[in-house]
Amino acid sequence: MVPHLFLGLGWSEWVALLSIIGLIFSNTRNSFSKIASNKAHEENQKTRETMQNFIYTVKKFEDKLASLNKTLDKVDEDIENLNEKYNDLDKRVVALETLNKIKNEDDTK
């Protein structure tokens, strides 16, 4: 006769029961681990897509900024040309006023 231990179960029965409990625990832990790994993978994928969209947006912004810089350079050139033309016109007006003064002085004499 086999001696019974705790709760009337023998050593081999306890080993089998603990093995089954360990196997269930191990499979449950692996399932949770797999779920966590899948969630982490999905989050990493979302983060990667977000970063790619951000990089694309930054590149578009850089292109727009470069275009704006070109436009501003052109505007600066146009302003310089207008200033030169205004100065030339101002000189002509001063010269005409001077000629008119001289002419008026000659007429009054």
Side-chain angles (χ1 to χ4, degrees):
M1 184 156 176
V2 177
H4 293 301
L5 299 175
F6 188 65
L7 296 177
L9 298 176
W11 283 108
S12 61
E13 293 162 337
W14 275 107
V15 169
L17 185 62
L18 291 176
S19 295
I20 289 173
I21 291 171
L23 184 63
I24 291 170
F25 175 75
S26 177
N27 283 341
T28 304
R29 187 183 58 152
N30 285 342
S31 294
F32 286 135
S33 203
K34 205 175 245 186
I35 290 169
S37 175
N38 289 342
K39 281 282 192 186
H41 180 71
E42 289 171 5
E43 289 296 321
N44 285 340
Q45 187 66 25
K46 287 179 184 177
T47 303
R48 185 177 299 116
E49 289 173 3
T50 302
M51 289 301 295
Q52 287 174 345
N53 288 338
F54 177 73
I55 290 170
Y56 176 73
T57 303
V58 168
K59 286 183 181 179
K60 283 178 61 176
F61 177 73
E62 287 174 346
D63 292 343
K64 296 281 184 179
L65 191 59
S67 174
L68 179 63
N69 282 336
K70 287 179 185 176
T71 302
L72 288 176
D73 288 343
K74 178 69 173 142
V75 167
D76 284 343
E77 288 176 18
D78 291 344
I79 288 173
E80 286 178 15
N81 288 337
L82 284 172
N83 281 336
E84 287 176 10
K85 288 180 181 179
Y86 174 77
N87 288 336
D88 288 344
L89 183 63
D90 192 41
K91 288 177 186 176
R92 286 182 183 178
V93 168
V94 169
L96 285 174
E97 288 175 351
T98 306
L99 285 175
N100 281 338
K101 272 186 182 178
I102 294 172
K103 185 178 179 185
N104 288 339
E105 288 175 3
D106 287 344
D107 288 343
T108 56
K109 289 185 182 181

